[in-house]
Amino acid sequence: MPSESLRWETLQALKNSPKGKISFDPFWLERGEPLLAGCKDSPSLSPIAGVILERLSSAPLQKSLSFLGSRSGDSSPVLSEVSISSSGSVPDVSARTAAFSAAASVKNEREQTLSDKVKDESPEADVSGVSSPTSLPAISLLSPKAMEMAGCIIKVQEEHREKAKLALRVRQEMQENLVVAVASAESEQLKRFEELMELKQRQEYQSMRDMMERETKESIGRQEKLKEEQRRRITLVNLRLREAEQQRLREAELERQRQAEGRERLRSLNSIQEEILQLNQLLEPSTQTKTDLPPASLSSYSTRGNQLCSQVSEVVRKTAEGDFPSLEDMTVAERALHEMRALIRLMQEEAAKVREKKKKEQEQEEERRKQAELLAKQEGEKKAAQLAKEKAQRKGLQNSAEDVTLKWYKDLQEVATRCAQSFEQLNSAKDGQTKKLKLELQKAATIPVSQIASNSGSQLREIFDKIDKLLSGRPVVSGGKSVSTSQHPQGLEFASYKLAEKFVKQGEEEVASHHEAAFPIAVVASGVWELHPQVGELILAHLHKKCPYAIPHYPPMKEGTPVDEYQRILGYRVDDSGVEGQDSFLKRMSGMIRLYAAIIQLKWPYSSKQGPVPHGLNHGWRWLAQMLNMEPLADVTATLLFDFLEVCGNALMNQYRSQFWKLILLLKEEYFPRIEAVTSSGQMGSVIRLKQFLETSLQRRQISPPRGQLGSGFWRS
């Protein structure tokens, strides 16, 4: 229908009018403006509205209808006043009036709803609303078109109101979201603040703990310092206590040593008294019935012995009160003992001279009795020896030693025999005490010799002092026991004999295995030889008996002599298993020759006597010259010459110089071919060593010092 289409055109025109273009502003409330401020103005129709209305209705408007639906402060946003001139009938007007009334009621309901919402948001608005009650709108009778237009306007207003409500709802949601965001931010800030406070509390707690720990450490450090100071003081106290204890122990040790020395001196004094008493018994005339001494001599010896016993008894009587003997007392007792020994020795020597004189007289008588019987036999032997000697001289060399050398050899053997016979009573003793004394004397004589080594000079000096004490009649400690040669009249001869025998045995065994050992053994033997010459003679006697080549002498085999006995005379060892081998024999002979070559060139460095060696290099020169005047023996001569020259060649060279080199040249050019001539091919080892030694020495015109020789630094060790 055309009228309805016009209505929509009218609505479109109203929409495009300034009143219809209502815009939503979200900041109305902030500016304090009402949301429907633009709609509260009274709408007015344009001049064209009359034409439009005439077209819509054929009946002219008799009257302009203006209606107002407003309350105090609140009116419709579209129409505030309408002036209509209408000349319609009453039914139309009543119908329009009913329509307008319905529209007004709808309008009022919507406004009431909006006002309620506004009241919720703004209490002030609510208060204003309460203070100014809403006045009921005036009802005007309008035409149907006007009513339709009013309805359209009301519809448009409703749409705008819905839009405003929607915008308001969106803004409220935004506000709520903002409030929630702000609340959550505030909550997070509160949490951060609480965390910050907790962190500060933890930091304060940690700082307090650190401070307490520092204080604890400082306290512990102070305690440790106090403990350290306490330990230091305890250490000092302990050190002082230990020093005091050590001082006490030293004093106690000194006291013990003094007591021990006193007891030792007392034991020595008792042993000296016992020995003097024993020796004095030997001086008694009742014990000397078998001696040939005159009574006057025996009486003088006995008187002097009693005097010495009285001196020692006086010293012992002083110690009977409980005191130990002093050093002066021991000196007096030892001097008395030495004098007693000297007295015994003088008596024994005098008795020996008397016995020897009687023995000589008996021997002279025996010799005169047997002289006639042996004269023929001796003349025959002399003639045979003279013929053999003349035969050897015609050949240029000898088969035996010279007469002077043989006489010297026999004299030494007689000395050894007499010495062995002098202690026959001690050697063949039956009682246990004498056997025990003999064993202790033998140990005291032989053990120090077997301890000789090239370790240090101080050790050699201790060994020498021990041997010298033994041979001087002073007590020495052997095997934990004190022993002295003065404990038996034959003790000195026995000890000297065993000592010399041990020296030669060391050369036979020790030097044979270790050539350097010859020098420490030889220097001790030389020192003993110098102080006690009888020991030196016994050493030579034992050496010549075991090694006749040290004379030098080649003993001839006599008629009726068994082969085993002749082998013993030559120096071989013979037992039940037979004769020893040639290598073992040469090794022993080499050891003894090396010992002899060392003895003749060494002197004891601590000797108080001035002069040459007791058995010096002149004996070495004699031995070498006599060896070259005798026929060489296969393997023996070359071995002994090499060993002798290797040990003693340097000393002979320094002593005899040009004469020595002449002798060496003679040995190389004339005597050495004789050695080669008597040596078989299987015995050329010693010959080659001697030849190389001679050639090297003559070429260099020098003989090196032997290995193992004791230098000056050795005696400072």
Side-chain angles (χ1 to χ4, degrees):
M1 27 188 316
S3 59
E4 292 186 359
S5 60
L6 290 175
R7 294 174 188 170
W8 292 112
E9 291 177 0
T10 303
L11 293 173
Q12 187 69 28
L14 290 173
K15 183 179 180 181
N16 294 331
S17 66
K19 296 291 185 179
K21 295 180 179 180
I22 300 173
S23 60
F24 176 76
D25 191 353
F27 302 103
W28 280 340
L29 292 177
E30 295 178 2
R31 291 195 301 267
E33 297 180 2
L35 295 177
L36 301 178
C39 298
K40 291 182 179 181
D41 297 337
S42 300
S44 62
L45 296 176
S46 66
I48 307 174
V51 180
I52 295 171
L53 291 175
E54 286 181 357
R55 286 184 179 181
L56 292 175
S57 179
S58 58
L61 296 174
Q62 297 177 359
K63 186 179 178 177
S64 295
L65 178 62
S66 62
F67 61 95
L68 293 171
S70 63
R71 297 170 293 181
S72 67
D74 190 13
S75 63
S76 172
V78 180
L79 295 177
S80 61
E81 175 179 290
V82 178
S83 298
I84 302 174
S85 59
S86 176
S87 61
S89 60
V90 174
D92 294 334
V93 171
S94 60
R96 292 179 181 178
T97 302
F100 273 107
S101 300
S105 62
V106 171
K107 176 183 176 182
N108 290 332
E109 291 177 359
R110 293 180 178 177
E111 287 180 356
Q112 186 66 29
T113 304
L114 182 60
S115 64
D116 292 337
K117 291 181 179 181
V118 171
K119 286 178 182 180
D120 293 335
E121 293 180 359
S122 176
E124 297 177 358
D126 191 13
V127 173
S128 65
V130 172
S131 61
S132 59
T134 304
S135 61
L136 296 174
I139 300 175
S140 299
L141 295 176
L142 297 175
S143 64
K145 289 185 178 180
M147 292 295 290
E148 186 177 1
M149 183 61 67
C152 291
I153 291 172
I154 292 169
K155 186 176 181 180
V156 170
Q157 289 177 351
E158 291 292 333
E159 291 178 356
H160 281 281
R161 190 175 291 109
E162 291 295 332
K163 291 181 180 179
K165 289 180 180 179
L166 180 61
L168 182 61
R169 191 179 301 111
V170 170
R171 184 173 181 183
Q172 287 178 350
E173 291 178 357
M174 291 177 60
Q175 290 292 331
E176 291 176 357
N177 293 335
L178 181 61
V179 170
V180 171
V182 171
S184 62
E186 291 296 330
S187 176
E188 291 296 329
Q189 289 182 359
L190 181 60
K191 290 180 180 178
R192 301 290 86 76
F193 178 74
E194 291 177 353
E195 291 176 357
L196 180 61
M197 295 302 293
E198 290 179 358
L199 178 61
K200 289 183 178 181
Q201 289 179 357
R202 287 196 300 271
Q203 290 178 350
E204 291 177 358
Y205 178 71
Q206 185 66 30
S207 64
M208 291 179 65
R209 285 186 61 184
D210 294 341
M211 183 176 65
M212 292 176 65
E213 288 179 358
R214 285 196 300 272
E215 291 179 354
T216 303
K217 289 180 180 178
E218 291 176 357
S219 177
I220 293 173
R222 289 193 294 272
Q223 291 179 0
E224 289 295 330
K225 288 182 180 179
L226 291 175
K227 290 180 181 179
E228 183 65 26
E229 181 67 19
Q230 185 68 16
R231 284 194 294 268
R232 187 180 65 81
R233 291 181 180 179
I234 291 173
T235 303
L236 290 176
V237 172
N238 292 335
L239 182 60
R240 290 174 183 173
L241 290 175
R242 191 159 48 250
E243 289 178 354
E245 181 66 18
Q246 290 177 356
Q247 180 67 22
R248 186 185 65 80
L249 292 176
R250 282 196 295 270
E251 292 177 356
E253 182 65 24
L254 290 175
E255 182 64 22
R256 282 196 297 271
Q257 289 181 0
R258 189 182 68 82
Q259 294 286 338
E261 290 175 357
R263 286 191 293 270
E264 183 65 27
R265 287 197 296 270
L266 183 58
R267 283 194 295 268
S268 299
L269 182 60
N270 293 332
S271 62
I272 289 173
Q273 185 184 20
E274 181 182 0
E275 185 176 354
I276 285 181
L277 292 175
Q278 291 177 357
L279 294 176
N280 189 43
Q281 291 178 359
L282 299 177
L283 297 176
E284 293 295 332
S286 59
T287 59
Q288 301 294 333
T289 55
K290 295 182 179 180
T291 60
D292 298 324
L293 291 176
S297 299
L298 289 176
S299 178
S300 62
Y301 287 137
S302 179
T303 303
R304 183 55 184 163
N306 292 330
Q307 292 176 357
L308 295 175
C309 289
S310 299
Q311 292 180 3
V312 177
S313 299
E314 185 66 25
V315 174
V316 173
R317 193 177 300 110
K318 292 180 181 179
T319 62
E321 299 177 357
D323 296 334
F324 293 116
S326 62
L327 295 176
E328 292 79 7
D329 296 337
M330 293 302 298
T331 303
V332 171
E334 289 179 356
R335 190 183 300 115
L337 178 61
H338 288 310
E339 191 172 350
M340 178 65 78
R341 289 172 182 167
L343 195 63
I344 293 294
R345 192 176 298 110
L346 289 175
M347 186 187 71
Q348 290 176 349
E349 289 177 357
E350 187 176 352
K353 288 179 180 178
V354 173
R355 287 195 298 269
E356 187 175 356
K357 185 177 180 181
K358 289 183 177 181
K359 186 177 180 180
K360 285 183 178 179
E361 291 176 356
Q362 293 176 1
E363 288 178 354
Q364 288 176 1
E365 292 177 1
E366 186 71 20
E367 287 178 359
R368 282 194 299 269
R369 188 173 57 251
K370 294 181 180 181
Q371 186 175 6
E373 298 177 0
L374 298 177
L375 183 60
K377 185 177 180 180
Q378 288 177 357
E379 289 178 357
E381 290 178 357
K382 285 181 181 180
K383 289 180 181 180
Q386 186 67 25
L387 291 175
K389 189 173 182 179
E390 290 176 358
K391 184 178 179 181
Q393 287 177 353
R394 284 196 299 269
K395 292 182 178 179
L397 295 177
Q398 301 175 359
N399 289 323
S400 61
E402 296 178 354
D403 295 338
V404 178
T405 304
L406 289 176
K407 184 178 183 304
W408 174 58
Y409 161 68
K410 291 178 181 180
D411 292 341
L412 290 175
Q413 295 304 314
E414 289 179 0
V415 170
T417 303
R418 286 198 304 270
C419 183
Q421 291 175 355
S422 65
F423 61 82
E424 182 65 27
Q425 181 182 356
L426 175 62
N427 199 27
S428 61
K430 300 293 184 179
D431 60 304
Q433 185 175 2
T434 308
K435 287 183 178 180
K436 186 177 180 181
L437 177 62
K438 182 188 73 172
L439 182 60
E440 291 176 355
L441 285 173
Q442 185 173 352
K443 288 182 180 179
T446 57
I447 289 177
V449 179
S450 53
Q451 292 175 347
I452 295 175
S454 57
N455 296 331
S456 65
S458 59
Q459 182 184 7
L460 283 187
R461 190 169 184 180
E462 291 177 3
I463 294 172
F464 175 82
D465 292 340
K466 185 178 292 187
I467 296 173
D468 182 43
K469 285 182 180 180
L470 179 67
L471 297 177
S472 300
R474 289 178 288 176
V476 295
V477 178
S478 177
K481 297 180 181 180
S482 179
V483 63
S484 172
T485 56
S486 60
Q487 294 178 356
H488 195 276
Q490 301 170 0
L492 180 60
E493 289 77 8
F494 178 78
S496 301
Y497 189 89
K498 292 298 180 182
L499 181 64
E501 186 180 33
K502 183 62 178 179
F503 272 118
V504 177
K505 189 174 182 181
Q506 283 294 99
E508 184 182 10
E509 297 176 354
E510 182 67 21
V511 180
S513 301
H514 305 90
H515 294 168
E516 293 82 0
F519 294 95
I521 298 173
V523 74
V524 175
S526 178
V528 174
W529 195 331
E530 185 175 0
L531 294 180
H532 307 278
Q534 72 276 13
V535 177
E537 293 178 352
L538 292 174
I539 290 174
L540 284 178
H542 284 289
L543 181 65
H544 293 168
K545 185 176 181 180
K546 288 192 174 185
C547 179
Y549 312 103
I551 302 174
H553 175 53
Y554 304 153
M557 186 175 180
K558 297 180 181 180
E559 295 181 2
T561 304
V563 177
D564 294 345
E565 184 64 27
Y566 182 65
Q567 293 288 350
R568 288 192 182 94
I569 294 173
L570 292 178
Y572 287 88
R573 283 180 176 173
V574 181
D575 51 17
D576 296 338
S577 60
V579 183
E580 69 175 331
Q582 185 70 9
D583 293 338
S584 175
F585 167 74
L586 290 175
K587 183 178 180 181
R588 291 192 303 106
M589 298 300 110
S590 172
M592 288 184 281
I593 286 297
R594 283 179 176 271
L595 177 62
Y596 179 68
I599 288 175
I600 62 178
Q601 62 176 313
L602 293 178
K603 180 179 177 63
W604 180 247
Y606 301 104
S607 175
S608 59
K609 295 182 180 181
Q610 301 296 328
V613 180
H615 192 75
L617 286 173
N618 57 328
H619 293 276
W621 181 265
R622 177 194 59 78
W623 182 89
L624 184 59
Q626 288 191 9
M627 281 290 290
L628 299 183
N629 286 330
M630 298 176 68
E631 285 288 348
L633 296 179
D635 210 11
V636 175
T637 303
T639 301
L640 299 183
L641 283 174
F642 172 75
D643 292 328
F644 184 84
L645 290 174
E646 189 179 40
V647 176
C648 196
N650 180 264
L652 290 173
M653 176 192 70
N654 295 329
Q655 180 75 19
Y656 296 100
R657 301 184 180 277
S658 60
Q659 297 298 324
F660 173 76
W661 290 114
K662 290 178 182 179
L663 191 63
I664 294 298
L665 186 62
L666 175 66
L667 169 61
K668 174 66 174 60
E669 294 180 351
E670 298 184 10
Y671 193 74
F672 188 76
R674 292 177 177 271
I675 297 175
E676 289 181 325
V678 298
T679 305
S680 62
S681 59
Q683 300 173 338
M684 293 298 292
S686 57
V687 176
I688 293 173
R689 285 195 299 271
L690 178 61
K691 182 179 181 181
Q692 291 176 351
F693 178 83
L694 295 174
E695 290 177 352
T696 305
S697 301
L698 289 171
Q699 182 180 1
R700 296 169 53 191
R701 201 73 177 176
Q702 178 69 29
I703 296 179
S704 302
R707 289 184 302 173
Q709 192 172 18
L710 305 179
S712 58
F714 172 79
W715 299 105
R716 293 192 295 269
S717 61

